[in-house]
Amino acid sequence: MALGRETGQAMKQASGTDGSGQETLGVAAVVVTFNRVALLQRLVTRLLELGSVDAILVVDNASSDGTGEWLADLSAREPRVRYRILPTNAGGAGGFQAGLEWAHDLGAELAWLMDDDGLPAPDCLDKLLVHKGEYDFWGPAVLAQQRPDELCFPVRLPGTATVARTLDQLEDVAVDGRVADVVIPFNGVLVTHELVDRIGTVRAEFFIWGDDVEYLWRAIDAGARVATIVDAHFLHPATDDLGTPMLRGLTTYNHSPSDLKHYCMARNNTVNLLTFRGPLHAAAFWAKTAWFYTFVKPSARRLILSAQAILDGLRGNFTGHERFLPPRPPHPASPGERVAVVVVTYKRPELLDQLLTDLAAQTRRPDGVFVVDNSGDEATARVLEAHSELPLRVDHVGANLGGAGGFNRGVRAAHEAGFDRLWLMDDDVRPAPWALQALLADGGDCLACVREDRRGNLVEKAAVRFDLSNPLQLRPKVASIEQTYPCRASMPARIHIENAAFEGFMVHRRVVDAIGYPDPSFFIFYDDCDFQLRAQRAGFAMWAVRDALMRRQFDFVQSNDLASWKGFYMYRNLFAVHFRYGTNALVRLKPFVLTAGVVALSPVRGGPGEARNVLRALVGALRMRRLDSRAKLGS
């Protein structure tokens, strides 16, 4: 299991070794930490005081506050302490997956799971161990650190409406000092080696929130014996917003001011309820969420975020939380990766000649250049014949398939030829000599060059935010790079984007493996947007790379074409994107509203040509609600 760095001296275990000389452990404390070195120091100090702890396994989620350095120093002095530093922040779920698997691989009989902000009472573990052999998954009463007579998390007795909120109430409902079939997971709980054998480890894709509940419910479904030991105590900071009362105190809602936490809670709770409790329980949670943010803490923004999270849970998309995280540092492409350029051209031989000349001048030469010739004219053929310095593979189509049809054919050909990365572009752009090298230095799965015009002005229209959730947002591109930054020099090295043009867009073959090819039915416009929305739904992030410069040969004038033949494709394909990817029914109704508006205003704006275009476009888009079969692998 590759989990970053691991260190620690050979641990001295009370259990010693098995007959083969392999070390064996009784209790391994598993601690997950991220940028809270002071709290971690407090916790580890307490764990080192406990003679029943045979090993302390710390999983560090790539902290930047000196945690790694402190652990390195401590582990050199304390033989029971080991640590691993993950390459990126994998959240509590990823940390516990790594830590529980690590303890299991070491042969620990029991894993004792906790975050860095908890603190077990000095006798907590000993009181839990009294019940070893009786349970598979059991833990202490989790008390509010600020008010130790109160429970940090309310405990609902299974199958009843009874909720214990204080330690006294929990003691009242306990039988022989235990509350069966309920435990607050990952706050000082013990998990047996045999249970991990049976059900596996934690679902890392949950990131935070609900991973512990999922593991508990999975254990119960597998027949695990579960309990809370009331006289074993574990302190944890209380959060006042958790368990916020609603409906006159009849129930509560786990509100968090953090968008990241709320998103993960709503998404993961949707998954857990549908998996373990059924659709009625999930629907009740959705209704509860809608009520809470409509009446208790009214927030249209939080309602939209909740809807996005719930939809992602329904789709099984576990990447949506990444937009709330700091950008990940780039990881350069492997030196052995092969790059194919895919160029689509149509009756612009002079521009094609300039583009091919620039490709030949790249500081890192492409390994293949696939040219899809939509024109078949003699001038284009002569240009292609003249560039013998490039590893050209030409597809003379014999008909104009549009940019979408051309990219469908080119991406398919390069992918089937086994290239690792595909660099897509039209014939009217010119890459800077270092552009390909800059993209490979970043190494992301979906990357875009940044475009300037011939005068050096930033004209990059890649969307920083593309909103298909808000029905009141008439134009889904809420913000673009050129609207956000005055010039390319003012940009950070990489920027998270939500779509970009096929004018220097690079995609790794693993993305094509997952989502297929560009959809040829778009002909022109929005085929790139459709492809990239599919990629994002499949879990791939997109980045614009500042230093990968691409120059456009023409200015943008598309807004003047809405009454022309191009306007039909602009409207039709924009509507198709709404039908395919709108996250709610109101967004999917927007094409009808826009059509009605354009037609109503046509006497004073756009004229009859634009009105005819938008009506034809609406009909055409309704026929494009499903991905064209030619965009699918194996077609």
Side-chain angles (χ1 to χ4, degrees):
M1 179 173 59
L3 294 168
R5 291 178 289 171
E6 175 184 354
T7 189
Q9 300 176 18
M11 291 182 291
K12 300 175 183 176
Q13 278 75 245
S15 302
T17 63
D18 62 20
S20 64
Q22 167 119 13
E23 72 177 6
T24 58
L25 298 174
V27 177
V30 174
V31 179
V32 177
T33 187
F34 177 66
N35 278 346
R36 294 194 288 207
V37 66
L39 291 175
L40 178 66
Q41 290 169 342
R42 181 189 70 163
L43 173 58
V44 172
T45 298
R46 171 61 54 83
L47 295 176
L48 285 170
E49 295 170 354
L50 307 181
S52 300
V53 175
D54 300 314
I56 302 168
L57 310 180
V58 181
V59 179
D60 176 14
N61 261 320
S63 298
S64 57
D65 64 347
T67 293
E69 292 80 358
W70 179 75
L71 286 169
D73 176 71
L74 179 66
S75 65
R77 296 181 284 104
E78 293 288 352
R80 286 191 289 167
V81 176
R82 287 185 178 182
Y83 72 98
R84 286 180 174 177
I85 300 178
L86 303 186
T88 59
N89 180 11
F96 280 117
Q97 182 196 56
L100 185 56
E101 188 173 341
W102 185 13
H104 185 266
D105 288 346
L106 289 173
E109 188 178 358
L110 295 170
W112 195 24
L113 308 179
M114 60 196 72
D115 281 314
D116 53 11
D117 58 350
L119 187 69
D123 59 354
C124 176
L125 179 58
D126 288 338
K127 289 187 174 182
L128 292 175
L129 290 176
V130 169
H131 303 278
K132 178 181 173 182
E134 299 175 29
Y135 298 106
D136 308 292
F137 194 143
W138 73 109
V142 183
L143 309 179
Q145 180 177 300
Q146 303 94 319
R147 301 177 294 275
D149 58 332
E150 297 180 9
L151 300 181
C152 189
F153 309 101
V155 173
R156 181 183 296 276
L157 296 187
T160 75
T162 303
V163 177
R165 303 182 184 279
T166 67
L167 181 58
D168 286 344
Q169 291 172 348
L170 191 66
E171 290 173 344
D172 289 343
V173 298
V175 177
D176 295 329
R178 303 170 237 184
V179 180
D181 302 321
V182 65
V183 73
I184 301 299
F186 299 2
N187 283 282
V189 295
L190 287 169
V191 176
T192 66
H193 189 279
E194 185 274 334
L195 181 62
V196 181
D197 280 339
R198 225 188 316 160
I199 70 170
T201 185
V202 181
R203 291 184 64 174
E205 65 268 28
F206 275 45
F207 192 71
I208 58 172
W209 278 67
D211 52 300
D212 50 356
V213 172
E214 192 279 337
Y215 197 72
L216 172 62
W217 288 357
R218 191 173 2 135
I220 291 171
D221 269 12
R225 300 164 296 172
V226 173
T228 293
I229 308 304
V230 177
D231 65 348
H233 297 162
F234 189 93
L235 297 178
H236 188 278
T239 302
D240 290 336
D241 281 334
L242 289 181
T244 303
M246 59 182 288
L247 295 175
R248 298 177 182 266
L250 293 176
T251 187
T252 61
Y253 189 83
N254 283 334
H255 166 75
S256 171
S258 163
D259 284 346
L260 170 63
K261 291 180 179 179
H262 175 73
Y263 171 87
C264 290
M265 185 276 289
R267 179 194 65 191
N268 299 345
N269 206 26
T270 293
V271 173
N272 286 341
L273 289 170
L274 286 172
T275 302
F276 297 102
R277 297 294 186 265
L280 289 179
H281 284 80
F285 165 69
W286 303 333
K288 192 175 177 181
T289 299
W291 182 278
F292 187 86
Y293 290 113
T294 301
F295 300 109
V296 182
K297 285 185 179 288
S299 171
R301 180 174 168 275
R302 187 51 70 90
L303 284 169
I304 292 170
L305 178 61
S306 302
Q308 293 170 340
I310 290 166
L311 286 169
D312 283 345
L314 291 170
R315 297 186 185 114
N317 176 8
F318 288 95
T319 63
H321 65 271
E322 293 177 358
R323 68 181 183 271
F324 302 107
L325 304 177
R328 295 182 180 181
H331 299 283
S334 302
E337 289 187 345
R338 299 169 65 232
V339 179
V341 181
V342 177
V343 178
V344 177
T345 187
Y346 180 69
K347 291 185 178 180
R348 295 194 287 202
E350 298 86 359
L351 296 178
L352 177 63
D353 182 47
Q354 294 173 358
L355 170 59
L356 294 178
T357 299
D358 288 344
L359 291 176
Q362 291 294 300
T363 54
R364 195 288 196 189
R365 294 279 292 272
D367 303 289
V369 179
F370 290 73
V371 179
V372 180
D373 177 13
N374 270 335
S375 61
D377 64 327
E378 293 184 4
T380 298
R382 287 195 296 270
V383 167
L384 292 167
E385 290 173 1
H387 282 277
S388 58
E389 79 280 15
L390 287 171
L392 289 175
R393 306 188 192 191
V394 181
D395 181 1
H396 294 290
V397 177
N400 183 11
L401 304 180
F407 283 118
N408 173 272
R409 290 177 70 97
V411 169
R412 179 192 300 270
H415 179 261
E416 290 178 348
F419 285 88
D420 300 294
R421 292 180 180 269
L422 315 180
W423 193 22
L424 283 56
M425 59 193 71
D426 286 319
D427 55 12
D428 60 348
V429 293
R430 301 190 64 178
W434 59 86
L436 177 54
Q437 187 172 352
L439 291 173
L440 294 177
D442 182 287
D445 290 318
C446 297
L447 301 173
C449 292
V450 175
R451 294 170 291 175
E452 292 181 344
D453 62 18
R454 288 169 295 176
R455 299 173 293 278
N457 299 314
L458 179 65
V459 292
E460 184 48 66
K461 298 185 180 299
V464 176
R465 178 79 177 98
F466 197 79
D467 187 355
L468 289 171
S469 300
N470 184 359
L472 301 179
Q473 188 68 50
L474 292 182
R475 296 182 178 181
K477 186 185 290 185
V478 177
S480 68
I481 287 179
E482 70 173 357
Q483 294 169 333
T484 307
Y485 301 95
C487 61
R488 191 169 62 88
S490 67
M491 294 168 55
R494 67 191 323 232
I495 299 166
H496 185 264
I497 57 175
E498 297 192 351
N499 64 45
F502 283 167
E503 295 187 0
F505 182 75
M506 175 177 281
V507 59
H508 197 282
R509 71 174 292 109
R510 67 172 66 95
V511 180
V512 181
D513 290 339
I515 70 170
Y517 311 116
D519 187 335
S521 66
F522 280 77
F523 191 68
I524 58 171
F525 302 126
Y526 288 97
D527 52 310
D528 40 23
C529 178
D530 174 85
F531 183 83
Q532 292 151 1
L533 286 169
R534 282 189 276 145
Q536 289 177 84
R537 284 193 167 192
F540 298 99
M542 294 194 300
W543 305 91
V545 180
R546 178 195 61 204
D547 295 334
L549 171 62
M550 185 73 74
R551 295 199 185 278
R552 291 197 97 246
Q553 298 285 67
F554 298 120
D555 294 332
F556 287 98
V557 292
Q558 294 170 357
S559 60
N560 300 325
D561 291 332
L562 292 176
S564 71
W565 66 271
K566 289 185 178 179
F568 164 73
Y569 289 106
M570 290 181 196
Y571 276 127
R572 186 197 67 169
N573 297 347
L574 174 63
F575 293 168
V577 165
H578 278 76
F579 288 144
R580 289 184 181 186
Y581 306 108
T583 61
N584 57 70
L586 291 177
V587 170
R588 293 190 291 274
L589 286 173
K590 272 172 57 179
F592 296 95
V593 177
L594 289 170
T595 298
V598 170
V599 172
L601 293 173
S602 61
V604 294
R605 175 193 175 279
E610 185 173 351
R612 283 193 297 271
N613 270 347
V614 76
L615 287 167
R616 290 173 52 230
L618 181 62
V619 174
L622 288 168
R623 297 176 181 141
M624 292 175 61
R625 285 176 291 179
R626 298 290 180 268
L627 185 69
D628 192 296
S629 60
R630 294 170 292 174
K632 299 177 181 178
L633 292 183
S635 59

